[in-house]
Short mmCIF file of all heavy atoms in Angstrom, two decimals:
data_model
loop_
_atom_site.label_atom_id
_atom_site.label_comp_id
_atom_site.label_asym_id
_atom_site.label_seq_id
_atom_site.Cartn_x
_atom_site.Cartn_y
_atom_site.Cartn_z
N TYR A 33 137.97 -181.92 -108.70
CA TYR A 33 139.20 -182.69 -108.52
C TYR A 33 140.24 -182.20 -109.53
O TYR A 33 139.90 -181.81 -110.65
CB TYR A 33 138.94 -184.19 -108.78
CG TYR A 33 137.89 -184.79 -107.88
CD1 TYR A 33 136.56 -184.85 -108.27
CD2 TYR A 33 138.23 -185.29 -106.62
CE1 TYR A 33 135.59 -185.40 -107.45
CE2 TYR A 33 137.27 -185.84 -105.79
CZ TYR A 33 135.95 -185.89 -106.21
OH TYR A 33 135.00 -186.43 -105.39
N PHE A 35 144.17 -183.24 -111.21
CA PHE A 35 145.07 -184.38 -111.43
C PHE A 35 146.32 -183.93 -112.16
O PHE A 35 146.30 -182.98 -112.95
CB PHE A 35 144.38 -185.45 -112.31
CG PHE A 35 143.06 -185.93 -111.80
CD1 PHE A 35 141.90 -185.24 -112.09
CD2 PHE A 35 142.97 -187.08 -111.05
CE1 PHE A 35 140.66 -185.67 -111.63
CE2 PHE A 35 141.74 -187.54 -110.59
CZ PHE A 35 140.59 -186.83 -110.89
N TYR A 37 148.86 -186.02 -114.72
CA TYR A 37 149.15 -187.26 -115.44
C TYR A 37 150.53 -187.14 -116.08
O TYR A 37 150.92 -186.08 -116.56
CB TYR A 37 148.12 -187.53 -116.54
CG TYR A 37 146.84 -188.18 -116.07
CD1 TYR A 37 145.77 -187.41 -115.62
CD2 TYR A 37 146.69 -189.56 -116.08
CE1 TYR A 37 144.59 -188.02 -115.20
CE2 TYR A 37 145.51 -190.17 -115.66
CZ TYR A 37 144.47 -189.39 -115.23
OH TYR A 37 143.30 -189.99 -114.81
N GLN A 39 153.00 -188.70 -119.14
CA GLN A 39 153.00 -189.47 -120.39
C GLN A 39 154.44 -189.64 -120.85
O GLN A 39 155.00 -188.74 -121.47
CB GLN A 39 152.16 -188.79 -121.46
CG GLN A 39 152.01 -189.63 -122.72
CD GLN A 39 151.22 -188.94 -123.80
OE1 GLN A 39 151.42 -187.77 -124.10
NE2 GLN A 39 150.29 -189.68 -124.42
N ARG A 43 153.84 -193.39 -124.49
CA ARG A 43 152.50 -192.80 -124.72
C ARG A 43 151.48 -193.17 -123.65
O ARG A 43 150.39 -192.63 -123.63
CB ARG A 43 151.92 -193.21 -126.08
CG ARG A 43 152.30 -192.36 -127.23
CD ARG A 43 151.31 -192.43 -128.39
NE ARG A 43 150.71 -193.70 -128.65
CZ ARG A 43 150.91 -194.39 -129.78
NH1 ARG A 43 151.74 -193.94 -130.69
NH2 ARG A 43 150.30 -195.53 -129.98
N GLN A 44 151.82 -194.10 -122.78
CA GLN A 44 150.87 -194.50 -121.75
C GLN A 44 150.61 -193.35 -120.79
O GLN A 44 151.53 -192.69 -120.34
CB GLN A 44 151.41 -195.70 -120.97
CG GLN A 44 150.46 -196.24 -119.93
CD GLN A 44 149.21 -196.85 -120.52
OE1 GLN A 44 149.28 -197.66 -121.44
NE2 GLN A 44 148.06 -196.47 -120.02
N LEU A 47 148.60 -191.85 -113.99
CA LEU A 47 148.21 -190.90 -112.95
C LEU A 47 149.34 -190.72 -111.96
O LEU A 47 149.86 -191.69 -111.40
CB LEU A 47 146.96 -191.38 -112.24
CG LEU A 47 146.47 -190.47 -111.11
CD1 LEU A 47 145.97 -189.15 -111.69
CD2 LEU A 47 145.37 -191.15 -110.31
N ARG A 50 146.56 -186.78 -107.35
CA ARG A 50 145.25 -186.13 -107.45
C ARG A 50 144.99 -185.34 -106.18
O ARG A 50 145.52 -185.65 -105.12
CB ARG A 50 144.14 -187.14 -107.69
CG ARG A 50 143.96 -188.12 -106.57
CD ARG A 50 142.77 -189.02 -106.81
NE ARG A 50 142.95 -190.29 -106.12
CZ ARG A 50 143.00 -191.47 -106.73
NH1 ARG A 50 142.84 -191.54 -108.03
NH2 ARG A 50 143.18 -192.57 -106.05
N GLU A 52 141.67 -183.37 -104.10
CA GLU A 52 140.26 -182.99 -103.96
C GLU A 52 140.21 -181.54 -103.51
O GLU A 52 140.91 -181.16 -102.56
CB GLU A 52 139.56 -183.88 -102.93
CG GLU A 52 139.39 -185.33 -103.37
CD GLU A 52 140.55 -186.22 -102.95
OE1 GLU A 52 141.65 -185.68 -102.67
OE2 GLU A 52 140.38 -187.43 -102.90
N TYR A 54 138.12 -179.90 -101.82
CA TYR A 54 137.64 -179.62 -100.47
C TYR A 54 138.72 -179.89 -99.41
O TYR A 54 138.56 -179.52 -98.25
CB TYR A 54 136.40 -180.45 -100.16
CG TYR A 54 136.61 -181.94 -100.11
CD1 TYR A 54 137.01 -182.57 -98.94
CD2 TYR A 54 136.40 -182.71 -101.24
CE1 TYR A 54 137.20 -183.94 -98.90
CE2 TYR A 54 136.58 -184.09 -101.20
CZ TYR A 54 136.98 -184.70 -100.03
OH TYR A 54 137.16 -186.05 -99.99
N PHE A 91 150.63 -183.65 -117.86
CA PHE A 91 149.37 -182.98 -118.10
C PHE A 91 148.66 -182.70 -116.78
O PHE A 91 148.55 -183.58 -115.92
CB PHE A 91 148.44 -183.84 -118.96
CG PHE A 91 148.90 -184.02 -120.37
CD1 PHE A 91 149.53 -185.17 -120.76
CD2 PHE A 91 148.67 -183.02 -121.31
CE1 PHE A 91 149.94 -185.35 -122.08
CE2 PHE A 91 149.07 -183.19 -122.63
CZ PHE A 91 149.71 -184.35 -123.01
N ARG A 95 138.44 -182.07 -113.13
CA ARG A 95 137.18 -182.79 -113.23
C ARG A 95 136.19 -182.20 -112.23
O ARG A 95 136.51 -182.04 -111.05
CB ARG A 95 137.38 -184.28 -112.94
CG ARG A 95 136.08 -185.09 -112.90
CD ARG A 95 136.34 -186.49 -112.43
NE ARG A 95 135.11 -187.22 -112.18
CZ ARG A 95 134.49 -187.27 -111.00
NH1 ARG A 95 134.99 -186.63 -109.96
NH2 ARG A 95 133.38 -187.96 -110.85
N ASN A 100 132.04 -186.38 -114.83
CA ASN A 100 133.02 -187.45 -114.98
C ASN A 100 133.96 -187.22 -116.15
O ASN A 100 134.72 -188.11 -116.51
CB ASN A 100 132.32 -188.81 -115.12
CG ASN A 100 131.26 -188.79 -116.20
OD1 ASN A 100 131.58 -188.64 -117.37
ND2 ASN A 100 130.01 -188.89 -115.81
N LYS A 101 133.93 -186.06 -116.72
CA LYS A 101 134.81 -185.76 -117.85
C LYS A 101 136.03 -184.97 -117.37
O LYS A 101 135.93 -184.12 -116.50
CB LYS A 101 134.05 -184.93 -118.89
CG LYS A 101 132.90 -185.68 -119.53
CD LYS A 101 132.13 -184.79 -120.48
CE LYS A 101 131.23 -183.83 -119.75
NZ LYS A 101 130.40 -183.03 -120.68
N LEU A 102 137.15 -185.27 -117.97
CA LEU A 102 138.38 -184.55 -117.66
C LEU A 102 138.63 -183.45 -118.68
O LEU A 102 138.43 -183.65 -119.88
CB LEU A 102 139.58 -185.50 -117.67
CG LEU A 102 139.72 -186.48 -116.50
CD1 LEU A 102 140.91 -187.40 -116.73
CD2 LEU A 102 139.87 -185.74 -115.19
N PHE A 104 141.81 -181.21 -119.93
CA PHE A 104 143.27 -181.24 -119.84
C PHE A 104 143.90 -179.92 -120.25
O PHE A 104 143.37 -179.18 -121.09
CB PHE A 104 143.83 -182.32 -120.78
CG PHE A 104 143.64 -183.72 -120.29
CD1 PHE A 104 142.47 -184.41 -120.57
CD2 PHE A 104 144.62 -184.36 -119.56
CE1 PHE A 104 142.28 -185.71 -120.13
CE2 PHE A 104 144.45 -185.66 -119.12
CZ PHE A 104 143.29 -186.33 -119.40
N GLY A 105 145.06 -179.66 -119.66
CA GLY A 105 145.91 -178.60 -120.17
C GLY A 105 146.70 -179.10 -121.37
O GLY A 105 146.62 -180.29 -121.74
N ALA A 106 147.47 -178.21 -121.98
CA ALA A 106 148.20 -178.55 -123.20
C ALA A 106 149.44 -179.39 -122.94
O ALA A 106 150.00 -179.98 -123.86
CB ALA A 106 148.58 -177.28 -123.96
N TYR B 31 131.79 -196.07 -117.23
CA TYR B 31 132.04 -194.94 -118.13
C TYR B 31 133.22 -195.23 -119.06
O TYR B 31 134.25 -195.77 -118.64
CB TYR B 31 132.34 -193.67 -117.33
CG TYR B 31 131.21 -193.20 -116.46
CD1 TYR B 31 131.14 -193.58 -115.12
CD2 TYR B 31 130.21 -192.39 -116.98
CE1 TYR B 31 130.09 -193.15 -114.32
CE2 TYR B 31 129.16 -191.96 -116.18
CZ TYR B 31 129.12 -192.35 -114.86
OH TYR B 31 128.07 -191.93 -114.07
N TYR B 33 135.44 -193.34 -122.52
CA TYR B 33 135.69 -192.06 -123.18
C TYR B 33 136.63 -192.27 -124.37
O TYR B 33 137.49 -193.15 -124.36
CB TYR B 33 136.39 -191.09 -122.21
CG TYR B 33 135.76 -190.97 -120.85
CD1 TYR B 33 136.02 -191.90 -119.85
CD2 TYR B 33 134.88 -189.92 -120.56
CE1 TYR B 33 135.44 -191.79 -118.60
CE2 TYR B 33 134.30 -189.81 -119.30
CZ TYR B 33 134.59 -190.75 -118.33
OH TYR B 33 134.02 -190.64 -117.10
N TYR B 35 139.33 -189.78 -126.44
CA TYR B 35 140.03 -188.51 -126.53
C TYR B 35 140.92 -188.53 -127.76
O TYR B 35 141.36 -189.58 -128.22
CB TYR B 35 140.94 -188.29 -125.32
CG TYR B 35 140.26 -188.10 -123.99
CD1 TYR B 35 139.98 -189.20 -123.17
CD2 TYR B 35 139.91 -186.83 -123.54
CE1 TYR B 35 139.37 -189.03 -121.94
CE2 TYR B 35 139.30 -186.66 -122.31
CZ TYR B 35 139.03 -187.75 -121.52
OH TYR B 35 138.43 -187.57 -120.29
N GLN B 37 144.63 -186.64 -128.96
CA GLN B 37 145.76 -185.85 -128.45
C GLN B 37 146.48 -185.21 -129.62
O GLN B 37 146.93 -185.89 -130.54
CB GLN B 37 146.76 -186.73 -127.68
CG GLN B 37 147.93 -185.94 -127.13
CD GLN B 37 148.91 -186.79 -126.36
OE1 GLN B 37 148.78 -188.01 -126.28
NE2 GLN B 37 149.91 -186.16 -125.77
N GLY B 40 149.97 -179.07 -128.50
CA GLY B 40 149.44 -177.76 -128.14
C GLY B 40 148.02 -177.77 -127.61
O GLY B 40 147.51 -176.73 -127.17
N GLY B 42 146.77 -180.77 -125.70
CA GLY B 42 146.57 -181.80 -124.69
C GLY B 42 145.61 -182.85 -125.22
O GLY B 42 145.60 -183.16 -126.42
N LEU B 43 144.80 -183.40 -124.34
CA LEU B 43 143.79 -184.37 -124.74
C LEU B 43 142.43 -183.68 -124.75
O LEU B 43 142.08 -182.97 -123.79
CB LEU B 43 143.76 -185.55 -123.77
CG LEU B 43 144.80 -186.64 -123.98
CD1 LEU B 43 146.17 -186.18 -123.54
CD2 LEU B 43 144.40 -187.91 -123.24
N LEU B 45 138.21 -184.28 -125.40
CA LEU B 45 137.17 -185.30 -125.38
C LEU B 45 136.37 -185.29 -126.67
O LEU B 45 135.86 -184.25 -127.09
CB LEU B 45 136.25 -185.07 -124.18
CG LEU B 45 135.15 -186.09 -123.96
CD1 LEU B 45 135.73 -187.46 -123.62
CD2 LEU B 45 134.21 -185.62 -122.85
N TYR B 48 131.75 -189.70 -125.15
CA TYR B 48 131.85 -190.57 -123.99
C TYR B 48 130.57 -191.39 -123.84
O TYR B 48 129.54 -191.09 -124.48
CB TYR B 48 132.14 -189.78 -122.71
CG TYR B 48 131.04 -188.86 -122.25
CD1 TYR B 48 130.17 -189.22 -121.23
CD2 TYR B 48 130.88 -187.60 -122.82
CE1 TYR B 48 129.17 -188.36 -120.80
CE2 TYR B 48 129.89 -186.75 -122.40
CZ TYR B 48 129.05 -187.11 -121.39
OH TYR B 48 128.05 -186.27 -120.98
N PHE B 90 143.02 -191.85 -127.67
CA PHE B 90 143.05 -192.59 -126.41
C PHE B 90 141.64 -192.93 -125.96
O PHE B 90 140.74 -192.10 -126.01
CB PHE B 90 143.71 -191.76 -125.30
CG PHE B 90 145.21 -191.68 -125.41
CD1 PHE B 90 145.80 -190.61 -126.05
CD2 PHE B 90 146.00 -192.68 -124.88
CE1 PHE B 90 147.17 -190.54 -126.16
CE2 PHE B 90 147.38 -192.61 -124.98
CZ PHE B 90 147.96 -191.54 -125.64
N ARG B 98 131.59 -193.04 -106.10
CA ARG B 98 132.56 -192.05 -105.63
C ARG B 98 133.99 -192.48 -105.94
O ARG B 98 134.85 -191.65 -106.20
CB ARG B 98 132.41 -191.83 -104.13
CG ARG B 98 133.44 -190.85 -103.59
CD ARG B 98 132.95 -190.15 -102.37
NE ARG B 98 133.96 -189.22 -101.88
CZ ARG B 98 134.11 -187.99 -102.36
NH1 ARG B 98 133.33 -187.55 -103.32
NH2 ARG B 98 135.04 -187.20 -101.88
N TYR B 101 136.60 -191.59 -109.68
CA TYR B 101 136.99 -190.27 -110.16
C TYR B 101 138.33 -190.28 -110.83
O TYR B 101 138.79 -189.28 -111.33
CB TYR B 101 136.97 -189.24 -109.03
CG TYR B 101 137.84 -189.56 -107.84
CD1 TYR B 101 139.16 -189.20 -107.80
CD2 TYR B 101 137.29 -190.19 -106.73
CE1 TYR B 101 139.94 -189.47 -106.69
CE2 TYR B 101 138.06 -190.47 -105.62
CZ TYR B 101 139.38 -190.11 -105.60
OH TYR B 101 140.14 -190.38 -104.51
N GLU B 102 138.99 -191.42 -110.92
CA GLU B 102 140.21 -191.52 -111.70
C GLU B 102 139.88 -192.16 -113.02
O GLU B 102 139.10 -193.12 -113.08
CB GLU B 102 141.23 -192.38 -110.96
CG GLU B 102 142.48 -192.68 -111.77
CD GLU B 102 143.44 -193.58 -111.02
OE1 GLU B 102 143.24 -193.80 -109.81
OE2 GLU B 102 144.40 -194.07 -111.64
N GLN B 103 140.45 -191.67 -114.10
CA GLN B 103 140.28 -192.29 -115.40
C GLN B 103 141.51 -193.13 -115.71
O GLN B 103 142.64 -192.71 -115.49
CB GLN B 103 140.05 -191.24 -116.49
CG GLN B 103 138.68 -190.60 -116.39
CD GLN B 103 138.31 -189.76 -117.59
OE1 GLN B 103 138.98 -189.78 -118.61
NE2 GLN B 103 137.22 -189.02 -117.47
N PHE B 105 143.59 -195.12 -118.67
CA PHE B 105 143.77 -194.94 -120.10
C PHE B 105 144.31 -196.18 -120.79
O PHE B 105 145.12 -196.92 -120.23
CB PHE B 105 144.73 -193.77 -120.37
CG PHE B 105 144.11 -192.43 -120.12
CD1 PHE B 105 144.03 -191.90 -118.84
CD2 PHE B 105 143.56 -191.70 -121.17
CE1 PHE B 105 143.44 -190.68 -118.60
CE2 PHE B 105 142.96 -190.47 -120.94
CZ PHE B 105 142.90 -189.96 -119.67
N GLY B 108 146.63 -196.11 -126.51
CA GLY B 108 146.56 -195.15 -127.61
C GLY B 108 146.64 -195.80 -128.98
O GLY B 108 147.20 -196.88 -129.15
N ARG B 110 147.68 -194.53 -132.92
CA ARG B 110 148.16 -193.45 -133.78
C ARG B 110 147.52 -193.62 -135.15
O ARG B 110 147.73 -194.63 -135.82
CB ARG B 110 149.68 -193.48 -133.91
CG ARG B 110 150.23 -192.37 -134.81
CD ARG B 110 151.73 -192.34 -134.83
NE ARG B 110 152.30 -191.95 -133.55
CZ ARG B 110 152.41 -190.70 -133.12
NH1 ARG B 110 151.99 -189.70 -133.88
NH2 ARG B 110 152.95 -190.44 -131.95
#
Side-chain angles (χ1 to χ4, degrees):
Chain A
Y33 301 93
F35 305 85
Y37 278 88
Q39 186 182 45
R43 274 203 323 245
Q44 183 66 49
L47 179 67
R50 63 175 153 240
E52 292 91 340
Y54 65 87
F91 292 100
R95 175 188 171 268
N100 51 66
K101 295 176 283 185
L102 287 176
F104 285 87
Chain B
Y31 297 94
Y33 312 82
Y35 293 91
Q37 181 180 4
L43 278 74
L45 183 65
Y48 67 101
F90 284 95
R98 178 154 180 84
Y101 57 87
E102 173 182 349
Q103 288 191 10
F105 286 82
R110 180 175 293 279

